[in-house]
Amino acid sequence: MSSFRLTAEQSRATRPDAHIWVDASAGTGKTHVLTARVLRLMVDGARPDSILCLTYTKAAAGEMVNRILTRLGQWATLDRQTLREELSVLLGGRSLVSPAHEKRARQLFLTVLDLPSGLNVQTLHAFSQSLLGRFPLESATAPSFETIDDRTAREYASDARDTVLEAALTAQGLPLATAAQTLAQLMSDSSFDAAVNELLGMRTQLEALPKRFEDLSALVHQVLDVPATSDAEVLIADACGDTAFDQSGLQAVRSAIESAGSASEKRTKLPALEQWLRSHTQARAALFDTYARVFLTEKGSPRSAKGLATKAVLKVYPEALDVMTQEAERLVAVREAIALAKLAKETSYVLAFGQALVTRYAARKERAGKLDFSDLIDRTRQLLQSSVPASWVMFRLDAQIDHILIDEAQDNSSVQWDIVSRLADEFFSGLGQQDQPRSLFAVGDMKQSIYGFQGAQPRLFHDSRTAFKGQSRQAHQVFEDVQLAKSFRSVGAVLDVVDETFRGEAGDGLDAQRVTIRHQTHRAGTAGMVDLWPLSLRAEKEEDESDEGWRLPLQERWEKKPDRLLAEAIATDIQARIDAKECLPGRTQPLSGGDFLILVRQRGDLMSHLARALKQKGVPIAGLDRFDLKSPLAVRDLVNLGRFASLPTDDFALACVLKSPLCNVSEKALLSLCSGRAGTLWDAVKTSDLVDGAAKALLRSVLAKADYMPPFELFS
């Protein structure tokens, strides 16, 4: 009932004919809100088949359908008093429930079951696929097109990558060849594949860029505010000219270091300065990096005052620090200009490679007559925004769709918002063909758009809300902006931390207007606490043992990494709370190991370190919820046994099985079996006394059963 209460508390959001924008900023279950809205629309008289609900995932769509059908099934059998109570919560008051509402609520279950295609609750990709299937001629799509899965998409991407690389080998001197060489220099094999996938994910943007490389490069330089003629070699040459730096000042600094500098300065600074000052412009270009290290740190920032000029040098030449500081600042500016020039050049070539990759990938899909998820969205937008076909398509859709509901609206990309906007255009021009009120309902939370799934951006949620609000006012219709600030999940302490986080600079990433986020908790009076631990735990520097020589590995030693130190700190904190018999507010029983739940951002080394640290502290632990099945030695032994059963001539697999507890053959015996044998290892085992009869019987039994027994039964 929390979902219906939640909607009822926002009484403004119950009007069935209003365009409503719900900002569930408290992290409230958006599926609950959307489900309540669908039920309200149907109870108020909307045809179930006129409601289009767009969810973000198939799982969310299935969950919504199950919830709606479950609720409708309950309404069909409830007594009148209980039904009126539920409808009063849904409609916002007992006085709003009429006999017509009761009658319709009881009939909805059968009405929905009789729908030919069921409730229209689906993802935007599924809706696009069905729309393209209905209008193949209008969308210029093959009627028998298929949607490719992720595995096929990876295969097509690999084919496109190989084709582009082959073309680059024969395109010497052309931009494509230089682009391939640029990518090869910038990244490794694994990161190259990741870059290919990222470029394919940006194909809509890549297709909109200029096709000629010269125009593309000019656009990149313009966006980065880099002169089109800017080049790293030219910039370095200009920075090495005789008039580009203070020669006289640096000569004086060189003389001061030579006369009063420390041994370290004479060893590091003096040779670089002397070689720079006596060289000509072309020779200085080769010395630029070595010369820059005199003034800049490894990270490229100017050295400290002490690092630029010592007190002894300043006594001989007081202006030395000013000269060195000025030169350091000049070199920083030169390096930044060089970095921007390289960035513009490399970006141009990467984008050119991406354009070629996208072209080959599209051709591969077209030959197979298949579309991927991005194609579904792009072609649907093109269909709805075209001139003549769109009018016919929208005429057909306008007769069927009266209400559009959008789940997880914060994750819609600009292309997806274009589709929704086009579908809802007629909603702002009066009643439709069925003379029914039209409504648009979107629910989302901008804070959950920080990962940018499928090109989503937090500002798009705000911009779309503003656009629909303007359309509503122009059409003299109702638009309601509802803020669901009450959270039924988190306690006040957690919500306060969230509010404070987005009150700072983090709020800039959500809304340009910096709307203040304030949460309320339904769990009033419930205690809570948020501890902020150090971002990184630094290990203490271990003593240098290089002079001690090599030591026998008789004692297990652990490298002190941040993950391990963090796990030990968490285990120590939990153990201290348990030993102190700490009690949670509202409970009389002291804390135990089962009262703690540890959540990590991703499964990695931290989880294994946590399990080990907790066990060492004596804290009972249920174990990891997931582990690598191939890691345990017992599993590896069984896998090798399966390899031997599949191929008895696999000597390595059999050797691993013999050494394992399955056969328990000693290393000495195994060495005797393997050395000097004429045939396979299995032939040697069958005739040797080094393997006992039980082990031989086990191996013969496995070989006899492997041909007809399924793997699960064999291993069991």
Side-chain angles (χ1 to χ4, degrees), residues 340-588:
L340 278 175
K342 288 184 177 180
L343 177 63
K345 182 178 180 180
E346 292 171 352
T347 301
S348 301
Y349 283 120
V350 169
L351 293 178
F353 184 87
Q355 287 180 321
L357 185 69
V358 167
T359 302
R360 266 60 168 201
Y361 181 69
R364 180 70 177 85
K365 289 185 299 180
E366 186 175 358
R367 287 198 304 269
K370 296 185 178 182
L371 302 176
D372 60 13
F373 289 137
S374 297
D375 293 329
L376 297 176
I377 299 297
D378 293 338
R379 296 205 177 195
T380 299
R381 182 180 67 165
Q382 295 173 6
L383 171 64
L384 298 180
Q385 291 183 344
S386 58
S387 55
V388 178
S391 301
W392 163 247
V393 173
M394 292 306 302
F395 171 77
R396 296 291 302 274
L397 293 178
D398 185 50
Q400 301 171 2
I401 301 175
D402 290 329
H403 306 277
I404 298 177
L405 297 91
I406 308 169
D407 188 21
E408 304 290 355
Q410 78 280 348
D411 287 325
N412 280 353
S413 64
S414 59
V415 179
Q416 293 169 336
W417 277 121
D418 289 342
I419 296 175
V420 173
S421 176
R422 191 69 181 93
L423 291 174
D425 273 350
E426 288 296 321
F427 287 20
F428 304 96
S429 59
L431 297 177
Q433 293 185 3
Q434 306 299 326
D435 292 334
Q436 291 289 337
R438 322 293 290 273
S439 70
L440 173 67
F441 188 93
V443 56
D445 179 6
M446 286 192 296
K447 297 195 306 299
Q448 297 186 20
S449 184
I450 58 176
Y451 296 107
F453 293 124
Q454 300 179 0
Q457 301 178 28
R459 64 173 181 81
L460 294 176
F461 183 78
H462 170 75
D463 294 345
S464 300
R465 173 172 52 194
T466 303
F468 284 120
K469 185 176 182 179
Q471 287 182 283
S472 298
R473 289 182 174 178
Q474 290 179 0
H476 303 288
Q477 296 177 345
V478 178
F479 183 90
E480 297 181 356
D481 191 354
V482 180
Q483 299 289 325
L484 296 184
K486 179 171 287 189
S487 173
F488 291 83
R489 299 174 179 173
S490 300
V491 296
V494 175
L495 297 177
D496 290 342
V497 171
V498 176
D499 292 346
E500 289 297 327
T501 300
F502 287 100
R503 190 169 290 121
E505 295 181 356
D508 294 337
L510 295 182
D511 194 341
Q513 299 179 354
R514 294 296 300 273
V515 177
T516 302
I517 298 177
R518 296 187 182 278
H519 292 118
Q520 303 172 4
T521 178
H522 178 72
R523 301 169 60 181
T526 304
M529 182 172 60
V530 177
D531 287 339
L532 299 180
W533 288 38
L535 183 62
S536 63
L537 297 174
R538 296 186 177 274
E540 296 180 2
K541 187 176 181 181
E542 299 182 0
E543 297 180 1
D544 186 10
E545 301 174 351
S546 57
D547 296 335
E548 297 182 5
W550 185 81
R551 298 187 305 174
L552 290 175
L554 302 178
Q555 183 179 2
E556 186 179 27
R557 302 180 64 205
W558 293 95
E559 185 179 355
K560 292 184 178 180
K561 293 184 177 180
D563 282 349
R564 176 172 172 79
L565 294 176
L566 178 60
E568 292 177 350
I570 293 175
T572 302
D573 182 73
I574 293 176
Q575 181 193 30
R577 292 172 180 264
I578 295 177
D579 292 344
K581 300 187 182 302
E582 182 179 334
C583 294
L584 293 176
R587 293 181 56 180
T588 57

Side-chain angles (χ1 to χ4, degrees), residues 315-327:
K315 287 182 179 180
V316 177
Y317 182 47
E319 291 81 11
L321 181 59
D322 294 336
V323 173
M324 297 290 282
T325 301
Q326 181 181 356
E327 181 66 3

Side-chain angles (χ1 to χ4, degrees), residues 68-382:
I68 293 173
L69 292 178
T70 300
R71 182 61 62 183
L72 296 181
Q74 293 173 352
W75 285 353
T77 58
L78 288 177
D79 60 86
R80 184 181 182 187
Q81 181 64 27
T82 307
L83 178 61
R84 285 186 63 87
E85 291 178 358
E86 292 211 3
L87 293 180
S88 66
V89 174
L90 179 66
L91 300 177
R94 299 177 65 89
S95 61
L96 300 177
V97 181
S98 65
H101 287 137
E102 297 179 31
K103 180 179 179 181
R104 185 165 182 80
R106 294 193 184 278
Q107 296 174 345
L108 279 174
F109 183 68
L110 292 179
T111 302
V112 171
L113 289 182
D114 290 339
L115 293 177
S117 57
L119 288 172
N120 199 1
V121 181
Q122 53 188 327
T123 64
L124 187 58
H125 294 93
F127 172 77
S128 300
Q129 184 176 358
S130 63
L131 192 64
L132 295 176
R134 288 177 56 190
F135 304 100
L137 296 179
E138 293 82 353
S139 61
T141 303
S144 59
F145 79 90
E146 297 180 358
T147 304
I148 60 177
D149 53 19
D150 293 338
R151 180 178 179 181
T152 306
R154 288 193 295 269
E155 293 178 357
Y156 288 2
S158 298
D159 292 342
R161 177 201 60 196
D162 296 342
T163 304
V164 173
L165 291 177
E166 290 176 1
L169 292 176
T170 59
Q172 297 296 332
L174 296 180
L176 182 59
T178 308
Q181 295 174 0
T182 301
L183 262 71
Q185 295 172 357
L186 290 176
M187 54 194 66
S188 61
D189 295 341
S190 58
S191 58
F192 182 81
D193 290 337
V196 168
N197 295 330
E198 187 172 355
L199 288 170
L200 289 176
M202 301 167 53
R203 56 182 175 273
T204 302
Q205 296 89 329
L206 290 172
E207 291 172 350
L209 295 176
K211 304 304 179 184
R212 292 180 66 251
F213 179 76
E214 292 77 10
D215 298 335
L216 175 64
S217 179
L219 178 61
V220 172
H221 282 76
Q222 179 183 354
V223 171
L224 295 178
D225 195 17
V226 178
T229 57
S230 180
D231 183 81
E233 296 181 357
V234 175
L235 291 172
I236 293 177
D238 293 342
C240 297
D242 293 338
T243 60
F245 58 94
D246 185 3
Q247 288 200 54
S248 60
L250 289 177
Q251 285 284 5
V253 172
R254 185 202 66 79
S255 301
I257 294 176
E258 186 178 18
S259 61
S262 64
S264 176
E265 286 182 303
K266 292 180 179 180
R267 185 177 66 254
T268 57
K269 295 181 180 180
L270 190 58
L273 287 174
E274 288 180 342
Q275 194 171 11
W276 175 268
L277 291 171
R278 68 168 177 259
S279 300
H280 54 80
T281 300
Q282 295 180 351
R284 287 183 189 137
L287 302 172
F288 183 79
D289 291 336
T290 303
Y291 171 71
R293 282 196 289 269
V294 175
F295 303 86
L296 307 179
T297 64
E298 293 182 358
K299 295 182 179 180
S301 58
R303 295 186 181 276
S304 62
K306 183 179 179 180
L308 291 174
T310 59
K311 293 181 179 180
V313 173
L314 291 174
K315 287 182 179 180
V316 177
Y317 182 47
E319 291 81 11
L321 181 59
D322 294 336
V323 173
M324 297 290 282
T325 301
Q326 181 181 356
E327 181 66 3
E329 293 174 351
R330 184 186 77 89
L331 292 175
V332 168
V334 171
R335 279 196 165 187
E336 290 179 353
I338 294 173
L340 278 175
K342 288 184 177 180
L343 177 63
K345 182 178 180 180
E346 292 171 352
T347 301
S348 301
Y349 283 120
V350 169
L351 293 178
F353 184 87
Q355 287 180 321
L357 185 69
V358 167
T359 302
R360 266 60 168 201
Y361 181 69
R364 180 70 177 85
K365 289 185 299 180
E366 186 175 358
R367 287 198 304 269
K370 296 185 178 182
L371 302 176
D372 60 13
F373 289 137
S374 297
D375 293 329
L376 297 176
I377 299 297
D378 293 338
R379 296 205 177 195
T380 299
R381 182 180 67 165
Q382 295 173 6

